[in-house]
Amino acid sequence: MKPDPRGSHGRAGASLALALVLAACSADRPRPEAAVVVVEPALPSVLAPRLTSPPLGEIVLPDLPKRATAPAADRPAEPIGVRIGLAGDLAAVTWPCCTPGLAVELASERLLIEGAFEVVPESPGKGGFHHRLQVAALRDEEAATDLARRLAAATGQSAEAHYDPSVDLYRVRVGRFASRAEAEALKKRGIPGLAAGFLVAEPALGQEDVGLLLRQGSEVRRVGGRRLVLVPPEGQALTWQGQRYRGRLVVHLNPRGSLNVVNELPLEGYLRGVVPKELGPEAYPRLEALKAQAVAARTYTLRNLGLFELEGYDLCATPRCQVYGGLDVEHPLSDRAVAETVDQVLIFDGRPIESFYTASCGGHTEDVRVVFPNKRAAYLHAVPCVEAGEVRLGGSQRPGALFPAGLAEAVEAAESRGQLQRQELIYLSRRSGGLVVLDQGIETRLALPAKVATFRRDGGRLVAGELRLAAGDRLVALRSGAQLLALLQEQEAAAFPRDRAASLRLWTRTKTEGELAARVSDRFPGFPFRGFEVLERGVSGRVGKLRLLGFGGKSEVVTGLEVRFLLDLPETLFTVERDKGGRGRHSWVFKGQGWGHGVGLCQTGAFSMAGRGASYRDILAHYYRSAQLARVRRS
């Protein structure tokens, strides 16, 4: 609560009369009681018109790579550059005719290329090939890594999982054999999971003396090392598989002897191709929501630089990282969101946060540990979301009966004279007998009198009437001493659009016993699947732990996001029923809500908050508790 700058004098007149008028509307009201739970301070935010946004602090990130991100003729190199994996494990990269002015950047020269050309790995020659079994392609990294570990233990051979950006999956491969016969022998050993695998050959690359071959017609030129850089003509973009990209493209020789295609460009240019893919400005045309998305995407990028370092890039262009569409998806509104938040990031303990975001949270986000069991973060706690819908409060009687004529004007006048204390809050949810609110970053239960006077803004005026509250809305409690006299909703009534983003994404999926058994077998080869049971749910109701049940008393436990991928569902916020069909054909019916993983910023929730008057700071403060907004200092 804010202190009264006018002190206590002058309250025996008008303020007392006003208190009596309000008390008459709700006699014998109990005094408010607040059960307070302390959390860490929230992101500075515009909670109400009286407050101002504090200036941004600065953060220096000395460990950021200062890469040359674009040719000097195109634009000055920026301190922060990013490398985005567009495709992986290619046998060759071909470039059609013709791109006038296209150049290949070599160690000591720049070579102009006219006509079509091809890049291939240099023949392994000395090293020959490794023959391997590819046994699975899974969406979840931890599941793929665990499967590789299990197969290594079962076979006594090396096994690992690697990410393929071309298909957005982790490929699991086992063994390294000098001949196909040895690999085939492993496949026939009867170890669960190997029989369905297929053989692949990987060049046995040495640590030194690797290279690429640039072929154009009958001419062949060797390029030493693992990288070949394609530089566009001045002021132009490069086109790869029908899409244009800023910056330059790199053909990178990966550890398996095949080729990855990487887009290297400045961070802010990259974000121009991310924001419209993650929150489309045509479908979600609200600037403040797009600005929140831009800050979240920029923060995620800086937090995860070097995530795929051995593959020659930082991030992928798929939902595994952030969806990136290059230059062709850029849009004026999302460009503006990126420009107006340039260099802004969310930090905690002096470094960028893990700014997860999800398409639709189904009404409530989840604690990060439930969905990502190995992660803990103070700023990724479960919070209510505007997607849960509105709660109506007060105004149940006609205004003349509950609110005497001129009451709104009296309240406004008394507040302006300092005769009422103003407590600025953020509404979260409603509970029996009260509201859950944020009061200066502290989560608090606000007890309500039996009949509380309620006011809202309408055309700039304060009017008595029903409040329509949704998570993240700005709310003001007006008090006289300890007594709660009235609640005021700061948003204009006209700022409550009925848009599709405010509705829950309800879905139903039916999985047959055979379908689930096949998916379980991919993850746990040989497991005799007969059913499953939910062991744990999070605050929002999301399934955090699942036990797979097998014949013979066998079982396996699946946790977090892997539950969603294993069951092939849009979300882990679901209920399930067993449908016993005829002739023993059993199936499971899943009914759920939300879309994604449910952690961090809810994209459709951010859109709805923006429609209710929230700024991008309000949105970020709501979803990333205790994070701070800062600006990256450029060197």
Side-chain angles (χ1 to χ4, degrees):
M1 182 185 300
K2 279 190 169 182
D4 182 359
R6 298 174 182 265
S8 60
H9 67 279
R11 294 190 181 181
S15 63
L16 178 59
L18 178 61
L20 291 175
V21 171
L22 289 171
C25 299
S26 50
D28 301 323
R29 295 176 299 184
R31 294 185 64 175
E33 298 178 358
V36 179
V37 179
V38 178
V39 297
E40 297 192 53
L43 176 76
S45 170
V46 182
L47 303 184
R50 294 182 176 217
L51 300 182
T52 58
S53 299
L56 293 176
E58 285 191 328
I59 178 174
V60 180
L61 303 175
D63 56 339
L64 288 180
K66 293 176 172 55
R67 304 183 183 117
T69 56
D74 179 23
R75 59 181 296 179
E78 296 190 1
I80 304 174
V82 294
R83 303 167 300 170
I84 310 302
L86 304 180
D89 284 335
L90 303 176
V93 173
T94 58
W95 204 270
C97 183
C98 295
T99 305
L102 178 65
V104 173
E105 194 172 80
L106 304 177
S108 57
E109 62 178 322
R110 180 173 292 187
L111 178 67
L112 289 176
I113 296 184
E114 297 179 357
F117 64 91
E118 180 183 51
V119 181
V120 297
E122 185 177 23
S123 174
K126 302 175 183 177
F129 289 89
H130 292 309
H131 295 275
R132 315 196 69 193
L133 274 178
Q134 180 165 307
V135 298
L138 304 176
R139 291 185 64 186
D140 186 74
E141 179 182 10
E142 292 185 10
T145 302
D146 179 68
L147 176 58
R149 178 186 59 78
R150 289 168 180 255
L151 290 174
T155 63
Q157 301 290 331
S158 62
E160 68 275 335
H162 74 273
Y163 179 74
D164 186 342
S166 300
V167 292
D168 195 22
L169 294 171
Y170 285 87
R171 300 189 185 278
V172 180
R173 293 180 176 178
V174 181
R176 283 188 172 85
F177 300 101
S179 69
R180 290 179 60 88
E182 291 176 287
E184 289 283 5
L186 174 66
K187 185 176 179 180
K188 296 176 181 177
R189 283 174 54 184
I191 297 174
L194 298 187
F198 58 89
L199 293 182
V200 295
E202 293 180 0
L205 298 178
Q207 295 298 315
E208 305 294 336
D209 196 29
V210 295
L212 301 167
L213 298 180
L214 176 63
R215 294 174 176 169
Q216 190 174 30
S218 59
E219 297 184 19
V220 179
R221 179 161 184 161
R222 183 181 186 275
V223 179
R226 292 182 176 270
R227 288 163 49 92
L228 183 144
V229 181
L230 302 176
V231 181
E234 180 179 352
Q236 295 186 34
L238 286 172
T239 300
W240 165 254
Q241 293 186 342
Q243 290 182 285
R244 295 182 300 158
Y245 295 94
R246 295 182 180 276
R248 56 192 188 179
L249 296 180
V250 176
V251 181
H252 177 84
L253 182 65
N254 65 37
R256 295 167 301 284
S258 51
L259 303 178
N260 296 341
V261 177
V262 179
N263 182 202
E264 292 188 349
L265 75 165
L267 170 62
E268 300 300 319
Y270 162 65
L271 294 174
R272 293 174 67 181
V274 169
V275 175
K277 291 292 287 185
E278 288 288 357
L279 192 64
E282 294 288 347
Y284 302 99
R286 291 178 187 156
L287 180 61
E288 294 303 306
L290 292 167
K291 288 166 71 173
Q293 176 65 69
V295 174
R298 184 181 295 107
T299 305
Y300 179 90
T301 303
L302 295 182
R303 173 79 179 211
N304 289 283
L305 288 178
L307 187 62
F308 297 96
E309 188 64 42
L310 292 179
E311 300 291 328
Y313 55 89
D314 296 308
L315 297 170
C316 51
T318 70
R320 163 63 181 83
C321 304
Q322 299 181 125
V323 183
Y324 170 59
L327 190 149
D328 291 326
V329 304
E330 294 176 10
H331 188 280
L333 191 59
S334 50
D335 281 354
R336 180 181 170 189
V338 172
E340 291 187 8
T341 62
V342 63
D343 291 344
Q344 292 183 28
V345 294
L346 292 163
I347 63 170
F348 184 80
D349 280 348
R351 64 177 301 206
I353 70 170
E354 292 203 80
S355 53
F356 292 129
Y357 50 89
T358 191
S360 168
C361 70
H364 207 291
T365 68
E366 187 52 81
D367 289 339
V368 66
R369 64 172 183 80
V370 175
V371 182
F372 301 96
N374 295 328
K375 296 184 181 296
R376 300 290 186 274
Y379 47 81
L380 288 176
H381 284 305
V383 299
C385 179
V386 65
E387 280 196 322
E390 293 179 341
V391 167
R392 295 176 182 262
L393 181 67
S396 57
Q397 305 178 39
R398 59 188 177 89
L402 188 58
F403 305 107
L407 180 57
E409 290 78 6
V411 169
E412 201 159 41
E415 187 192 355
S416 68
R417 290 193 296 268
Q419 295 166 332
L420 293 177
Q421 295 94 31
R422 177 187 180 96
Q423 184 182 13
E424 289 153 333
L425 309 167
I426 295 289
Y427 170 78
L428 296 180
S429 62
R430 185 171 186 173
R431 291 182 186 168
S432 177
L435 306 177
V436 180
V437 297
L438 276 183
D439 179 9
Q440 300 297 314
I442 299 175
E443 192 169 315
T444 304
R445 179 180 176 274
L446 180 68
L448 297 180
K451 292 181 180 178
V452 63
T454 53
F455 304 91
R456 55 182 171 78
R457 298 284 180 188
D458 189 1
R461 298 184 307 111
L462 186 66
V463 298
E466 180 184 62
L467 307 188
R468 294 164 52 188
L469 298 170
D473 280 356
R474 292 167 291 185
L475 187 66
V476 174
L478 298 177
R479 296 181 180 274
S480 178
Q483 187 178 18
L484 176 63
L485 300 180
L487 292 175
L488 185 158
Q489 188 170 11
E490 286 289 0
Q491 283 94 340
E492 292 278 351
F496 301 156
R498 293 179 177 272
D499 53 54
R500 60 187 175 85
S503 61
L504 303 184
R505 283 197 176 186
L506 303 177
W507 48 264
T508 300
R509 297 288 188 275
T510 300
K511 305 291 182 181
T512 66
E513 192 171 71
E515 289 172 336
L516 286 183
R519 296 191 66 83
V520 170
S521 180
D522 287 342
R523 171 64 179 88
F524 300 100
F527 184 80
F529 175 77
R530 67 177 178 85
F532 63 87
E533 61 181 352
V534 174
L535 298 180
E536 293 181 9
R537 291 184 182 270
V539 175
S540 69
R542 283 174 172 82
V543 176
K545 185 178 292 186
L546 193 77
R547 177 183 285 126
L548 299 174
L549 305 174
F551 293 100
K554 294 185 177 180
S555 67
E556 294 283 357
V557 173
V558 180
T559 61
L561 191 61
E562 189 185 352
V563 172
R564 174 192 168 197
F565 293 148
L566 181 72
L567 300 177
D568 190 26
L569 299 174
E571 246 277 17
T572 55
L573 183 54
F574 63 80
T575 59
V576 60
E577 294 181 358
R578 185 84 177 269
D579 180 18
K580 296 183 179 180
R583 299 181 180 178
R585 296 177 180 175
H586 298 166
S587 61
W588 283 262
V589 179
F590 298 87
K591 295 182 179 180
Q593 54 202 62
W595 204 279
H597 52 64
V599 176
L601 180 141
C602 172
Q603 292 171 313
T604 52
F607 177 68
S608 290
M609 286 185 69
R612 300 175 73 90
S615 72
Y616 78 101
R617 289 185 175 218
D618 294 330
I619 295 168
L620 294 171
H622 180 69
Y623 289 109
Y624 301 112
R625 301 282 177 81
S626 76
Q628 300 293 316
L629 195 59
R631 191 186 302 278
V632 177
R633 183 186 299 171
R634 300 283 178 129
S635 59

